[in-house]
Amino acid sequence: MSEVYTTIIFLFVLFGLLGGSVWIGLALMGVAWVGMELFTSRPAGDAMITTIWSGSSSWTLTALPLFIWMGEILYRTRLSEDMFRGLAPWMRFLPGGLLHTNIAGCTIFAAVSGSSAATLNMVGKMSIPELRARGYPEYMIIGTLAGAATLGLMIPPSLTLIVYGVTINESITKLFMAGVFPGLVLAGLFMLYIVGWHFFGSGQRPKEEPHLSLGEMIAESRFLLPLFGLVIVVIGSMYMGFATATEAAAVGVLGALGLSLMQGSLSWATFVESLMGATRTSAMIAFILMGAAFLSLSMGFTGLPRALAGLIESYNLSPIALIAVLTVFYLILGMFMDGLSSVVLTMAIVEPMIRQAGIDVIWFGIFLVVVIETAQVTPPIGFNLFVLQGMTRHEISYIAKTAVPMVALMLLMVGILVVWPELATWLPENIRQQ
């Protein structure tokens, strides 16, 4: 019963602070402070200082602000217009037409961003006006964009995977590689949905796109070459073992600066805006990680993670049953909290559970990202829904309805990962062998 009372106290303080609009990082530190004062004899102040410094000075964490900065630089260039111009000639042949540019654009930009919100802003700015002008149904434009933008959380570089890797002390490069195939499969499911709508859906159909010769299509594709080059350099350097995640992020920043300079869109104002945007986002994430590190220490002193892991073990749940329970848990949690906060808040308890159950932590990271992706487009706090509301001025309920098929496909992806775990584990294992 002592674990029950401890849990109640932790939850009461946490939700009291969050309900009072206290920043998440400060709320986590507040809960940890209460735990240290009530359940341990160690001075809370000394413990907090030591833990915060060790948690925020990790070299692995250096990749986080660099990847964020790379995305911020590219977001402020003419890359979006060039991307649509390069993709459109190749997408118009597919059933569903240029709706596929939402999926392809999000997949490509996710490979140089790592942020769901940045991907949504970038591709939405590109595709929404173009697709509306061509007569595509509004609900398909918004729904496919809402779902596809979540690929920014999975396809490397992924900010969520960086935070997860730092939290459980796992290789960021292996986590990045684990996200490649599942991310491409999920993008394929989204595109199959568009094909299904084309053949079996009701509603308006856009006019047929004008014919282009093969030479014209290849000529238009030149606008994709700089972005593809950056993707190959960043991801390829990690896969081939030439660079760690942090080193690849540094190369990515230099490449993004070079691209924007060649485009003529790199001014001093753009440089400062990108740097400040990356600084704000990085500071927010680092602050959450600091609070989470202190909370993990506090909960470790109370023995709560071990007790809860033992409780789960006493039920003799199979790994499949445990994954099903955690899927529901993270979906509910994600409806009220952003993905990064969900990861850092729960891993102190969940990590012992999954290790005890024999679940691969690399695989679990990809599973976790897919579930968090789903929560990004489910109300009431589906972050992508609010971003789309600001871009389109539609009611949040309408946007949520358009995203329902994409939520179903992401849940299907969870099932695919359970049935074929090699989808996430083969590539990291192959890197290890090399």
Side-chain angles (χ1 to χ4, degrees):
M1 291 299 293
S2 61
E3 287 81 11
V4 175
Y5 293 134
T6 304
T7 304
I8 291 173
I9 291 173
F10 272 124
L11 292 177
F12 178 78
V13 176
L14 175 63
F15 287 113
L17 292 172
L18 292 177
S21 299
V22 176
W23 291 350
I24 292 175
L26 284 177
L28 296 178
M29 290 183 189
V31 175
W33 185 281
V34 170
M36 293 292 291
E37 290 291 348
L38 292 182
F39 302 110
T40 74
S41 58
R42 181 176 177 178
D46 291 344
M48 182 176 69
I49 293 170
T50 303
T51 307
I52 285 178
W53 172 252
S54 60
S56 60
S57 60
S58 166
W59 171 249
T60 306
L61 198 59
T62 311
L64 186 68
L66 290 173
F67 277 127
I68 294 173
W69 191 18
M70 182 175 69
E72 289 280 343
I73 294 167
L74 295 175
Y75 175 66
R76 287 168 170 79
T77 67
R78 297 195 308 271
L79 187 67
S80 59
E81 294 83 355
D82 288 352
M83 187 189 296
F84 190 91
R85 188 172 176 181
L87 285 174
W90 301 99
M91 299 293 108
R92 63 191 184 90
F93 290 114
L94 300 176
L98 295 184
L99 281 172
H100 292 283
T101 57
N102 273 348
I103 314 300
C106 287
T107 304
I108 294 171
F109 191 72
V112 290
S113 169
S115 166
S116 175
T119 301
L120 181 56
N121 271 291
M122 184 75 173
V123 180
K125 183 178 69 174
M126 162 192 81
S127 67
I128 291 177
E130 295 283 352
L131 295 177
R132 280 175 173 172
R134 287 168 167 80
Y136 284 87
E138 186 77 359
Y139 72 93
M140 286 298 295
I141 298 173
I142 295 174
T144 55
L145 187 59
T150 61
L151 293 169
L153 296 178
M154 180 184 293
I155 295 178
S158 163
L159 304 186
T160 305
L161 286 177
I162 293 175
V163 171
Y164 173 77
V166 170
T167 305
I168 68 165
N169 195 28
E170 187 54 74
S171 167
I172 305 299
T173 301
K174 290 176 183 176
L175 286 167
F176 279 180
M177 294 302 103
V180 172
F181 289 153
L184 294 177
V185 170
L186 186 56
L189 290 176
F190 291 155
M191 296 183 81
L192 284 176
Y193 165 66
I194 295 174
V195 172
W197 164 81
H198 176 82
F199 288 114
F200 306 109
S202 59
Q204 68 194 75
R205 294 290 187 276
K207 296 179 180 178
E208 188 174 340
E209 292 292 319
H211 176 75
L212 291 176
S213 67
L214 181 61
E216 290 174 320
M217 293 170 61
I218 294 175
E220 291 295 294
S221 299
R222 72 183 186 277
F223 293 102
L224 292 176
L225 292 179
L227 186 58
F228 274 128
L230 187 60
V231 171
I232 291 171
V233 169
V234 172
I235 298 181
S237 62
M238 289 187 289
Y239 178 76
M240 299 300 293
F242 295 141
T244 64
T246 303
E247 292 164 347
V251 172
V253 169
L254 294 176
L257 288 170
L259 283 178
S260 56
L261 185 63
M262 288 188 293
Q263 280 186 332
S265 55
L266 180 63
S267 63
W268 178 250
T270 303
F271 179 83
V272 172
E273 287 174 7
S274 67
L275 189 57
M276 292 305 298
T279 301
R280 284 190 292 267
T281 304
S282 302
M284 176 197 70
I285 296 173
F287 200 31
I288 293 174
L289 286 173
M290 291 175 189
F294 187 32
L295 180 60
S296 296
L297 177 70
S298 176
M299 293 176 69
F301 272 108
T302 65
L304 183 59
R306 292 187 297 275
L308 291 178
L311 179 64
I312 295 294
E313 185 183 4
S314 68
Y315 287 118
N316 293 318
L317 293 177
S318 66
I320 300 296
L322 178 59
I323 288 299
V325 170
L326 290 175
T327 299
V328 176
F329 169 71
Y330 276 109
L331 282 175
I332 295 173
L333 188 65
M335 291 179 184
F336 302 95
M337 191 174 291
D338 69 276
L340 291 175
S341 302
S342 300
V343 172
V344 298
L345 181 62
T346 59
M347 285 318 297
I349 295 176
V350 172
E351 184 186 359
M353 291 183 190
I354 61 174
R355 292 189 186 274
Q356 184 71 28
I359 298 172
D360 189 293
V361 292
I362 297 288
W363 178 91
F364 186 80
I366 304 306
F367 155 80
L368 187 60
V369 167
V370 175
V371 179
I372 288 173
E373 282 180 347
T374 309
Q376 291 284 302
V377 287
T378 52
I381 314 293
F383 185 68
N384 282 13
L385 303 181
F386 288 107
V387 175
L388 272 173
Q389 185 184 35
M391 295 174 68
T392 63
R393 305 302 179 189
H394 285 297
E395 291 291 331
I396 197 74
S397 57
Y398 173 80
I399 298 174
K401 288 177 183 177
T402 66
V404 167
M406 315 306 278
V407 171
L409 290 174
M410 284 186 269
L411 293 177
L412 173 62
M413 187 66 210
V414 173
I416 292 174
L417 281 171
V418 171
V419 176
W420 292 291
E422 297 82 7
L423 196 64
T425 58
W426 181 85
L427 197 55
E429 289 174 357
N430 186 53
I431 293 175
R432 187 181 298 121
Q433 290 170 1
Q434 288 181 348

